[in-house]
Structure formats: structure tokens, C-alpha cells
Amino acid sequence: MTLAAASLALGGLFAMPLQAQATLLEPTDANVAAAIAGGQEYLFNQFTETGGGTGGYWNDPSYGGLTATATAVAALVESGMMKDAAYKDRIEKGIAYIKDQVKTDGGIYTSHHAYETGLALVALGLYGQATTTDAAYKTIVRNAVDFLKSYQNIEGSTRGGDYGPNGEATSTNTTACGPSYKPYYGGWGYYPGNSNAGNKCIGGGDLSNAQFVVMGLWYGSRYLGDAIDTAPWAKAVLYFLKSQQSANGGFTVYAGEGNDYPTVTGTASGLWILSMIGQKDTAKRLATDTKTMAQNAIDWYGEASNYTWTYSGSYTYFIYGMAKALTATVGPGALIGTHDWAADMKSEVINSVHRVHTDAVTGGAAATDSWAGYTGLDPDTVGKTSWVLMSLAFASTSTESTEKLLAQEDGLDNVVKGLLTLHTTDGVTISAAGRSNVAAANLGQNVVLPIGAVSFTLNNVLPVGGTAVLSIAPPAGALDPTNANSFVNADGTTLKAGLSWFKITGGAWQGLSSVPITVDLAKGVILVTLKDGGPEDADGVADGKIVDPGAPGYGVDAAAVVTSSDSDNDWFGCSVGNGRPDPTLLILLAGGVAYLVRRRRP
């Protein structure tokens, strides 16, 4: 028995940091998968059952049960463990624990209003998108989202500062707060009161706090189907970001101290927020800037004096923020300067001095991995381990997950730019996700593939030979009726003729009439139903996996009519082409205009 195995047999008292070994591990898919599996096992073992097995939670000594439970649930959902019945049981008990922490004001917290409510919404949003939920669940998420909005420093705020971008008066606060409040506009303080009626000139806030609030709003809003890029809170937080970005590109954490103290944690927060509010590709700090805010921040981080994955002040906190920021802004395959950031991040965490590994016991306990040791803003071991798992899941395309973020990478030729998010439900996971160019094949004269092509593997499709629904959350412009390349007509209610799932056949993009595809305008997603072993499955075998490079697009003969409604339990949307006629065509036929119809069909 090895020393590590012996320590496990004795309760892990002698588990050793991995770097005690002489040879460092390469950041291969196998080594990353082993670290993720060990972290998942550790989290599974740290769950505390209550009520005779009817409930339970995770706990961290410093931050308490809510932070630990929210981060553990999010990590296990994002790393694909909804497919495992034993893990799913603990995830669902964790969700019940989170729901039990809901306050009458709508927040979900025990002591840290913004931080805990934000993390709770991350867990609730991820879980809500991975399974079926009811109206009561939606109400909890809605109230928590509204709670976070209520104390942003923004015009009409009921708990935070009520003033304009320059501290000016508003319709609900007729006394100007003054220009000294400009740095706080769009941000959030730490501990809101129940009302700002006695004082509407409230300052405070920093990018750390804002990051977790915006994460909560982003995950919650996506679950609810709320628009993000056009939301007042998102527009206001962009002002806050501009006040926090230095001329050299880095972001300062603390509001009010000036923007000349950029840090890697502040820059990670700034980049991640820019991606979440849909401003990564467009926003500039100053109108005269030649580069976007995101480009300048990435350039700053890529400088030799700034680039690191070992920020001692907040170790896993920083890794988690920057891994998600770079996944969403440039993608795992991009370089930061000359650095292969994804490989560097993975190498750091799997060889970390904070990683504690215990070997599997033959015929007994499985191997575990955790990340320990307090550093700055980091939570305790459960939270640290959860953040590491999510960081690896973001940056490793081979890792199975219910969610994949696909950045608008340089060189992509899609006409509607921005971040794509892929989602699956019912235990199906996504791996090998990526984006590719439309120009890879011939495109018909009237065919448009607005968001370009995507590739992915869907795993754990049950029953074998069955179907799985892939949800694609496109950039806002793809569903904007004012965008000429949108899926939506100018009337805002109907879709462009001939929505189809396109694949490359014989060197050209061809729509597949056998693949059901809909658009849910209420939730802002495209839904594709794919069949294991079907014509869209590249391996052609019913084996529980669907390998499918393809693209949603329009431009074939059939048209669509929106039939969306606001249901929590079903995916719904438009009755769409795929060779099926629009009802208006039937009317034309009945009216004796068969000639026109024949001309529309090849």
C-alpha cells in the first residue's frame, strides 16, 4: 500500500500535496480527467446527510454551508455529474438546501448578500437548465434576480445608490449626489438595507463583488429567458467597468481609488463581465480607442510582468475567474501573447502545491483530489475544489459538461458575432465542442448561417438510439429583428423562411429536413433534436453518442410561424420548415396560385 493509500485508509490524515512527487504531470486529457474525477469524488464524500438521508448540504468552516453548497452543486452540474444517479441525488438535496436559505426580500444569503445570492443563482440557473423545474422554482430565481437588481447603484434603485452616471439627480432622487459618486455608478455595495428612502446617495462596490452579482444575474436571466445585453443593469455595469479600467488595459478592483491600480483578479473580473453582458467584441473605454476594452485587457494580461496562474493573494478565486473569462473571450485554443493559457492553467492546477491527492484503495475507496490551503479571497477546501473543477471544465474541451461556452475566436467568419452557449438536459453531456467557418463548404445563394458552424459530441444519450435536445444560446444579434442576418423577421414574431439544421454534404451546406429545429423566442434559444445513429450523427452508429458538426441556418423553401408560450416544463417555440409548409402556403394553394408555389420549389 502506498503512503497516500495508507493515509486514505486512516481518514486522509496523511494525504500529501501532489508536488511532493518529483515528476510533474503533463496537462494531458487523461491527467485532467483524473483530477476532475478525484475532485468529484472528494465533493461527493464531503456531503453531509441530514434528516435520515432526506436532506443535506456541503460546508466550509469559514464561508459556511450556503457558499460551499452552491459552489459544489455548480461544479458537479457543470462537470457532467447529473448523469450519475448517486451524484444527482446529492445535487438535488443541495438545491433543496439552497432554497431553504431564501429570505423574505428575495435574496439567498446567510451573511454576504451579494456574494451568496450570486453563487446561489449560479447553482440554481445551471440546475434549472439541466432538468425540469416548476413555477415555484422559477419564482425563487426571479425574486433573487430582482433582489440583486434592487441594490445596484443606478437610476431608480430601491436599495442602492439612486443617481445617474455622473452622480446627477434622477426622477426618484431630485437631489444630485455629485460627481464624486461617478465611480460607483453601475456597481454594487456589500450589505444593502431594506430601503434607501433615507439616503439615496450610496456609494461602494468593487469588481469582485460585481463579478459574483453579474454571474448570478447572467445564470438566472438565462434560465428565466430574460434579455441581458439590453437590460438596464447590464448597460449600467458597463459604465462601472469603464471607470475601473486603466489606460493600459488592466482593471482595478476597488471603486473610488482611481483606475491606476490594475490587478490580475480585477482584470479577470472585468473580462468575464464584458462577456456576460455581450460587450466583449464592441465596448470601448473611450470612443477614440483603437481597440476594445477586452482586447486591451487581454494585451495587459499577456505582458510578461502580468501573466501568471499562481496569484498568491487569491489563488483558486483568480484561476476560476480568469479561466472562465478567457474561455468566453478568446477560447481555449487561443494564445495570450505567446502563452498557451489553457495548457498553462491546467498544468498549474494538476501540479499545484495546494492539490491533495489520495490514491484509490483496492476493492475500496476511489481516489480523491482536493485543493486546500487558505489564500486571500479563496473559500475553504470544498469551495476551492469546486472552483478548480469548473476551471478545468471550462478550459478542457474533452471534459464532459452540461454547458459549453464557445467564444467568438479570431478568424471565424460567422456574420453575427458573439459568445455561443451550448446546453443539454436529462443527463446528456457535451464534449469536444468547438466552432468552425462557414467557408469550409459551398453556401447556397439564399442560405444564411448567422452564428456559423459548431461541432460537438453528445454523450450518455439514453436509450441508445434515442434523441437528445441541444440548446444553443446565440449572441443577442442572432434573434434581433433589426439585424438583417437575424433568424427573426423584422416583425419580431416570425422567423426567416426555412429554418434548418445544416450539414456539409458533397462539399455544400445542405439543410436536413429530418432534424427537428425550433426557436424559443421567449427564452432566446435555438433547440435542435438530434438522433443517435441518425443521418446527423457523423459516426452513423447508435452507441449513446451523437457526433455532429453542423449549423443552424435558414434559406430553404419552408417558412415558420412563432408559437411560443411561457412554460417552465417544455421546450417550445416556432413551427418551422424542414420541408413542412407554412400555413400561408396552403392558403395560396387553395386560392389557385399553384404556379407561384411551383416556382418556389426546386
PDB file of all heavy atoms in Angstrom, residues 224-227 519-525 562 564-567 572-573:
ATOM      1  N   LEU A 224     -34.326  32.145 -16.868  1.00  0.00           N
ATOM      2  CA  LEU A 224     -35.642  32.776 -16.978  1.00  0.00           C
ATOM      3  C   LEU A 224     -35.994  33.185 -18.402  1.00  0.00           C
ATOM      4  O   LEU A 224     -37.166  33.407 -18.715  1.00  0.00           O
ATOM      5  CB  LEU A 224     -35.696  34.012 -16.080  1.00  0.00           C
ATOM      6  CG  LEU A 224     -35.595  33.771 -14.578  1.00  0.00           C
ATOM      7  CD1 LEU A 224     -35.358  35.093 -13.840  1.00  0.00           C
ATOM      8  CD2 LEU A 224     -36.841  33.073 -14.050  1.00  0.00           C
ATOM      9  N   GLY A 225     -34.990  33.300 -19.263  1.00  0.00           N
ATOM     10  CA  GLY A 225     -35.225  33.775 -20.615  1.00  0.00           C
ATOM     11  C   GLY A 225     -35.226  35.284 -20.738  1.00  0.00           C
ATOM     12  O   GLY A 225     -35.713  35.837 -21.723  1.00  0.00           O
ATOM     13  N   ASP A 226     -34.657  35.983 -19.754  1.00  0.00           N
ATOM     14  CA  ASP A 226     -34.594  37.442 -19.783  1.00  0.00           C
ATOM     15  C   ASP A 226     -33.473  37.921 -20.699  1.00  0.00           C
ATOM     16  O   ASP A 226     -32.382  37.330 -20.726  1.00  0.00           O
ATOM     17  CB  ASP A 226     -34.335  38.001 -18.382  1.00  0.00           C
ATOM     18  CG  ASP A 226     -35.503  37.788 -17.441  1.00  0.00           C
ATOM     19  OD1 ASP A 226     -36.565  37.343 -17.904  1.00  0.00           O
ATOM     20  OD2 ASP A 226     -35.339  38.058 -16.237  1.00  0.00           O
ATOM     21  N   ALA A 227     -33.718  39.010 -21.406  1.00  0.00           N
ATOM     22  CA  ALA A 227     -32.667  39.642 -22.198  1.00  0.00           C
ATOM     23  C   ALA A 227     -31.587  40.182 -21.267  1.00  0.00           C
ATOM     24  O   ALA A 227     -31.879  40.667 -20.176  1.00  0.00           O
ATOM     25  CB  ALA A 227     -33.245  40.766 -23.038  1.00  0.00           C
ATOM     26  N   VAL A 519     -37.084  27.549 -32.581  1.00  0.00           N
ATOM     27  CA  VAL A 519     -36.537  28.701 -31.872  1.00  0.00           C
ATOM     28  C   VAL A 519     -37.538  29.106 -30.796  1.00  0.00           C
ATOM     29  O   VAL A 519     -38.718  29.309 -31.086  1.00  0.00           O
ATOM     30  CB  VAL A 519     -36.273  29.890 -32.814  1.00  0.00           C
ATOM     31  CG1 VAL A 519     -35.847  31.120 -32.013  1.00  0.00           C
ATOM     32  CG2 VAL A 519     -35.198  29.539 -33.834  1.00  0.00           C
ATOM     33  N   ASP A 520     -37.073  29.195 -29.579  1.00  0.00           N
ATOM     34  CA  ASP A 520     -37.903  29.686 -28.477  1.00  0.00           C
ATOM     35  C   ASP A 520     -37.532  31.151 -28.256  1.00  0.00           C
ATOM     36  O   ASP A 520     -36.526  31.463 -27.626  1.00  0.00           O
ATOM     37  CB  ASP A 520     -37.644  28.847 -27.231  1.00  0.00           C
ATOM     38  CG  ASP A 520     -38.492  29.265 -26.051  1.00  0.00           C
ATOM     39  OD1 ASP A 520     -39.103  30.348 -26.119  1.00  0.00           O
ATOM     40  OD2 ASP A 520     -38.543  28.523 -25.063  1.00  0.00           O
ATOM     41  N   LEU A 521     -38.327  32.032 -28.822  1.00  0.00           N
ATOM     42  CA  LEU A 521     -38.017  33.457 -28.714  1.00  0.00           C
ATOM     43  C   LEU A 521     -38.160  33.952 -27.280  1.00  0.00           C
ATOM     44  O   LEU A 521     -37.477  34.900 -26.872  1.00  0.00           O
ATOM     45  CB  LEU A 521     -38.928  34.258 -29.638  1.00  0.00           C
ATOM     46  CG  LEU A 521     -38.697  34.055 -31.143  1.00  0.00           C
ATOM     47  CD1 LEU A 521     -39.672  34.891 -31.949  1.00  0.00           C
ATOM     48  CD2 LEU A 521     -37.264  34.388 -31.516  1.00  0.00           C
ATOM     49  N   ALA A 522     -39.036  33.335 -26.487  1.00  0.00           N
ATOM     50  CA  ALA A 522     -39.205  33.758 -25.099  1.00  0.00           C
ATOM     51  C   ALA A 522     -37.947  33.504 -24.289  1.00  0.00           C
ATOM     52  O   ALA A 522     -37.567  34.303 -23.440  1.00  0.00           O
ATOM     53  CB  ALA A 522     -40.398  33.041 -24.473  1.00  0.00           C
ATOM     54  N   LYS A 523     -37.283  32.387 -24.549  1.00  0.00           N
ATOM     55  CA  LYS A 523     -36.072  32.053 -23.808  1.00  0.00           C
ATOM     56  C   LYS A 523     -34.792  32.436 -24.545  1.00  0.00           C
ATOM     57  O   LYS A 523     -33.705  32.348 -23.989  1.00  0.00           O
ATOM     58  CB  LYS A 523     -36.049  30.556 -23.477  1.00  0.00           C
ATOM     59  CG  LYS A 523     -37.078  30.139 -22.438  1.00  0.00           C
ATOM     60  CD  LYS A 523     -36.949  28.656 -22.118  1.00  0.00           C
ATOM     61  CE  LYS A 523     -37.927  28.233 -21.030  1.00  0.00           C
ATOM     62  NZ  LYS A 523     -37.570  28.773 -19.705  1.00  0.00           N
ATOM     63  N   GLY A 524     -34.913  32.807 -25.816  1.00  0.00           N
ATOM     64  CA  GLY A 524     -33.743  33.233 -26.578  1.00  0.00           C
ATOM     65  C   GLY A 524     -32.800  32.107 -26.925  1.00  0.00           C
ATOM     66  O   GLY A 524     -31.574  32.286 -26.883  1.00  0.00           O
ATOM     67  N   VAL A 525     -33.357  30.928 -27.293  1.00  0.00           N
ATOM     68  CA  VAL A 525     -32.509  29.781 -27.610  1.00  0.00           C
ATOM     69  C   VAL A 525     -32.994  29.088 -28.876  1.00  0.00           C
ATOM     70  O   VAL A 525     -34.170  29.162 -29.239  1.00  0.00           O
ATOM     71  CB  VAL A 525     -32.465  28.752 -26.456  1.00  0.00           C
ATOM     72  CG1 VAL A 525     -31.767  29.337 -25.238  1.00  0.00           C
ATOM     73  CG2 VAL A 525     -33.861  28.257 -26.106  1.00  0.00           C
ATOM     74  N   VAL A 562     -44.235  31.737 -35.376  1.00  0.00           N
ATOM     75  CA  VAL A 562     -43.917  31.644 -33.960  1.00  0.00           C
ATOM     76  C   VAL A 562     -45.131  31.148 -33.186  1.00  0.00           C
ATOM     77  O   VAL A 562     -46.233  31.647 -33.368  1.00  0.00           O
ATOM     78  CB  VAL A 562     -43.471  33.012 -33.423  1.00  0.00           C
ATOM     79  CG1 VAL A 562     -43.334  32.965 -31.914  1.00  0.00           C
ATOM     80  CG2 VAL A 562     -42.141  33.398 -34.044  1.00  0.00           C
ATOM     81  N   SER A 564     -44.666  30.434 -29.610  1.00  0.00           N
ATOM     82  CA  SER A 564     -44.057  30.305 -28.293  1.00  0.00           C
ATOM     83  C   SER A 564     -45.027  30.695 -27.198  1.00  0.00           C
ATOM     84  O   SER A 564     -45.932  31.495 -27.380  1.00  0.00           O
ATOM     85  CB  SER A 564     -42.799  31.181 -28.197  1.00  0.00           C
ATOM     86  OG  SER A 564     -43.124  32.522 -28.370  1.00  0.00           O
ATOM     87  N   SER A 565     -44.814  30.101 -26.012  1.00  0.00           N
ATOM     88  CA  SER A 565     -45.549  30.453 -24.804  1.00  0.00           C
ATOM     89  C   SER A 565     -44.601  30.374 -23.643  1.00  0.00           C
ATOM     90  O   SER A 565     -43.492  29.882 -23.788  1.00  0.00           O
ATOM     91  CB  SER A 565     -46.724  29.497 -24.598  1.00  0.00           C
ATOM     92  OG  SER A 565     -46.255  28.182 -24.436  1.00  0.00           O
ATOM     93  N   ASP A 566     -45.001  30.828 -22.483  1.00  0.00           N
ATOM     94  CA  ASP A 566     -44.086  30.895 -21.340  1.00  0.00           C
ATOM     95  C   ASP A 566     -44.330  29.717 -20.416  1.00  0.00           C
ATOM     96  O   ASP A 566     -45.017  29.808 -19.427  1.00  0.00           O
ATOM     97  CB  ASP A 566     -44.285  32.209 -20.590  1.00  0.00           C
ATOM     98  CG  ASP A 566     -43.175  32.437 -19.584  1.00  0.00           C
ATOM     99  OD1 ASP A 566     -42.193  31.695 -19.618  1.00  0.00           O
ATOM    100  OD2 ASP A 566     -43.304  33.375 -18.773  1.00  0.00           O
ATOM    101  N   SER A 567     -43.749  28.579 -20.765  1.00  0.00           N
ATOM    102  CA  SER A 567     -43.903  27.366 -19.960  1.00  0.00           C
ATOM    103  C   SER A 567     -42.593  27.025 -19.317  1.00  0.00           C
ATOM    104  O   SER A 567     -41.540  27.183 -19.909  1.00  0.00           O
ATOM    105  CB  SER A 567     -44.356  26.206 -20.849  1.00  0.00           C
ATOM    106  OG  SER A 567     -44.178  24.979 -20.209  1.00  0.00           O
ATOM    107  N   PHE A 572     -40.261  24.853 -26.321  1.00  0.00           N
ATOM    108  CA  PHE A 572     -41.286  25.177 -27.279  1.00  0.00           C
ATOM    109  C   PHE A 572     -40.772  26.290 -28.139  1.00  0.00           C
ATOM    110  O   PHE A 572     -39.736  26.852 -27.892  1.00  0.00           O
ATOM    111  CB  PHE A 572     -42.579  25.619 -26.584  1.00  0.00           C
ATOM    112  CG  PHE A 572     -42.303  26.605 -25.487  1.00  0.00           C
ATOM    113  CD1 PHE A 572     -42.097  27.935 -25.760  1.00  0.00           C
ATOM    114  CD2 PHE A 572     -42.177  26.151 -24.172  1.00  0.00           C
ATOM    115  CE1 PHE A 572     -41.808  28.821 -24.755  1.00  0.00           C
ATOM    116  CE2 PHE A 572     -41.887  27.052 -23.168  1.00  0.00           C
ATOM    117  CZ  PHE A 572     -41.702  28.383 -23.458  1.00  0.00           C
ATOM    118  N   GLY A 573     -41.501  26.647 -29.186  1.00  0.00           N
ATOM    119  CA  GLY A 573     -41.031  27.761 -29.989  1.00  0.00           C
ATOM    120  C   GLY A 573     -41.845  27.912 -31.237  1.00  0.00           C
ATOM    121  O   GLY A 573     -43.035  28.176 -31.180  1.00  0.00           O
TER     122      GLY A 573
END
